Amino acid sequence: MQPTIPFVDLKTQYKALKSDIDARIQKVLDHGAYINGPEVAELEQKLAAHTGSKHALACASGTDALLIPLMALGIGPGDEVITTAFSFIATAETIVLSGAKPVYVDIEKDTFNLDVSKIEAAITPRTKAIMPVSLYGQMPDMDALNAIAKKHNLAVIEDAAQSYGARYKDRKSGHASLVGGTSFFPAKPLGCYGDGGAIFTDDEKLLKVMKEIREHGSESRYHHTRLGINGRLDTIQCAILLSKLGRYDWEVEQRNRIAERYNKAFAAVNKPDFQIPVVKENRLSVWAQYTLAVGDRAGFQKKLTEAGVPTSIHYPRIMPDQPWYKEHAGTCAGPVTTARWAADHVISLPMYPDMDNGTQDRVIDAVLKALA
Ligand SMILES: *Cc1c(COP(=O)(O)O)cnc(C)c1O
């Protein structure tokens, strides 16, 4: 039996960047400004420039990158936020933490993103915002979504946790509406060596409020004018991200090359419920995950495991069906049949920028054999 390949390989990436990352970390250790050090502002400038956003705010996690905008917009008890039924739990969690109620809509079968055509029917007098998620690295139909938001005077907070660097037409993920938050969790497309995140906006007023919330709601030191959190990103994590950002565009190209190879190899498979990922026109995915839909998922997963190819399921249960949420928070605006279908059939394959051709071939062979 061949050894198991990694699902995500961060060690090879570190080896490639080791001297630069080590030097940047050493510099932080030497200057000693572990909180709010100079690397924080430097990273924020680089992220803003790379995203095309006027401002970027580094923060402690992707979760905080969603919670801070919700708090800054004054969204809270009595309010509703429309989102997808099919995402990582932090999407719904931050809405609930703000005090508002998540209202779930179904997804598109081909992209797994929220079905924008279902949003208007979910709007009530209590609706304050829409939180779209760019699942697996691809942005949803932002033009249509922004038009609905404008018509009904709703804020749009993009959950760009899986899609830093993705593009919809000429707008980068996190910067395609009022405000967006991304995650630097290690396994996300752009990851640090711990938890981290960033918020993007062009809106100066919102920026000021979000900065205060990130720092315990303080307008100046020990003067707390609003409710806040400790939402800062450590200087060391910013130093690591500055290094990783240097080759990030290349990494996105690599991910796209690998996805293209996978898609080509699996294009001819014709089985019930089988589906290869679809990237819509005018969009660039950053392939946070390469995710198939398969009929007999358990059987498929077992065969891949035996072949030394690890897989992962993002996500086995839709958010409204999670035990706590089912009991305490949120409602579905209509049937979420496609989201439930996805939860039962999706499976993600190994995918990372440093994956060599031989490893890609092993994944391809194992998938084709498992489906034969
Ligand atoms: C990872 C993730 C988050 C939360 O990010 P953290 O950095 O882990 O807090 C939020 N939304 C989605 C869709 C995610 O995948």
Side-chain angles (χ1 to χ4, degrees):
M1 220 178 94
Q2 287 173 291
T4 298
I5 66 169
F7 187 72
V8 172
D9 180 5
L10 295 171
K11 282 188 223 157
T12 305
Q13 185 199 46
Y14 172 61
K15 270 186 208 146
L17 296 169
K18 185 176 179 350
S19 59
D20 188 51
I21 289 179
D22 289 2
R24 285 178 191 267
I25 291 175
Q26 189 59 51
K27 205 171 144 200
V28 177
L29 295 177
D30 290 337
H31 71 52
Y34 306 128
I35 299 287
N36 292 341
E39 284 82 359
V40 181
E42 191 187 343
L43 177 70
E44 289 178 339
Q45 276 159 17
K46 294 250 160 75
L47 290 173
H50 189 250
T51 308
S53 181
K54 277 200 188 138
H55 306 285
L57 264 187
C59 60
S61 67
T63 305
D64 283 356
L66 301 174
L67 181 61
I68 292 171
L70 283 162
M71 289 173 75
L73 289 163
I75 290 166
D79 298 336
E80 292 176 0
V81 178
I82 295 171
T83 190
T84 172
F86 189 55
S87 179
F88 177 60
I89 200 64
T91 309
E93 183 183 57
T94 51
I95 296 169
V96 177
L97 283 172
S98 78
K101 181 174 106 171
V103 174
Y104 306 103
V105 295
D106 207 2
I107 60 167
E108 300 175 333
K109 189 166 183 272
D110 53 355
T111 66
F112 304 106
N113 274 327
L114 92 172
D115 183 342
V116 174
S117 73
K118 302 245 160 76
I119 291 176
E120 268 195 304
I123 296 172
T124 76
R126 291 170 178 270
T127 309
K128 287 285 151 55
I130 308 169
M131 189 183 280
V133 180
S134 306
L135 206 71
Y136 307 148
Q138 173 177 207
M139 294 165 71
D141 185 353
M142 291 307 292
D143 278 352
L145 191 144
N146 283 328
I148 294 166
K150 198 171 169 204
K151 183 174 157 199
H152 297 272
N153 195 25
L154 306 174
V156 177
I157 304 156
E158 279 178 77
D159 180 342
Q162 302 186 4
S163 56
Y164 181 80
R167 211 166 8 80
Y168 174 90
K169 296 188 176 169
D170 59 346
R171 309 279 315 250
K172 287 268 191 80
S173 185
H175 183 242
S177 51
L178 175 64
V179 60
T182 195
S183 166
F184 300 133
F185 179 83
K188 299 283 159 105
L190 179 62
C192 57
Y193 291 163
D195 279 306
I199 305 167
F200 303 94
T201 192
D202 284 350
D203 188 308
E204 312 281 340
K205 261 198 225 151
L206 186 61
L207 176 80
K208 182 175 181 287
V209 178
M210 294 195 299
K211 266 189 181 166
E212 292 173 7
I213 290 173
R214 181 178 65 172
E215 198 95 31
H216 298 291
S218 48
E219 204 174 38
S220 55
R221 201 160 199 204
Y222 304 133
H223 185 61
H224 306 280
T225 49
R226 59 177 75 249
L227 179 67
I229 62 172
N230 174 356
R232 297 172 303 243
L233 182 58
D234 299 342
T235 309
I236 282 188
Q237 299 298 349
C238 294
I240 292 157
L241 286 162
L242 279 165
S243 182
K244 287 209 188 183
L245 200 53
R247 63 165 224 175
Y248 187 68
D249 288 341
W250 171 83
E251 290 193 355
V252 172
E253 282 168 26
Q254 280 294 102
R255 287 177 184 274
N256 274 279
R257 259 178 234 129
I258 297 164
E260 221 167 277
R261 275 200 79 201
Y262 282 179
N263 268 356
K264 225 172 159 179
F266 310 143
V269 175
N270 186 6
K271 297 205 115 190
D273 284 315
F274 182 79
Q275 184 181 296
I276 59 172
V278 174
V279 176
K280 296 242 168 121
E281 227 183 300
N282 288 320
R283 289 177 222 188
L284 174 75
S285 175
V286 293
W287 298 98
Q289 303 297 342
Y290 179 92
T291 305
L292 297 170
V294 291
D296 171 21
R297 183 171 64 188
F300 178 76
Q301 187 165 38
K302 188 163 172 278
K303 283 180 195 155
L304 259 62
T305 307
E306 282 162 9
V309 174
T311 53
S312 191
I313 292 165
H314 309 98
Y315 298 91
R317 193 177 286 201
I318 63 171
M319 296 189 295
D321 288 348
Q322 290 291 347
W324 188 86
Y325 291 78
K326 220 162 141 177
E327 201 157 317
H328 299 283
T331 49
C332 295
V336 286
T337 326
T338 310
R340 285 208 178 90
W341 170 83
D344 288 340
H345 293 95
V346 293
I347 185 160
S348 305
L349 301 182
M351 148 79 79
Y352 46 88
D354 294 287
M355 191 180 220
D356 59 40
N357 279 331
T359 310
Q360 293 166 39
D361 290 338
R362 271 193 62 193
V363 175
I364 291 169
D365 283 352
V367 168
L368 292 176
K369 272 191 196 125
L371 291 168

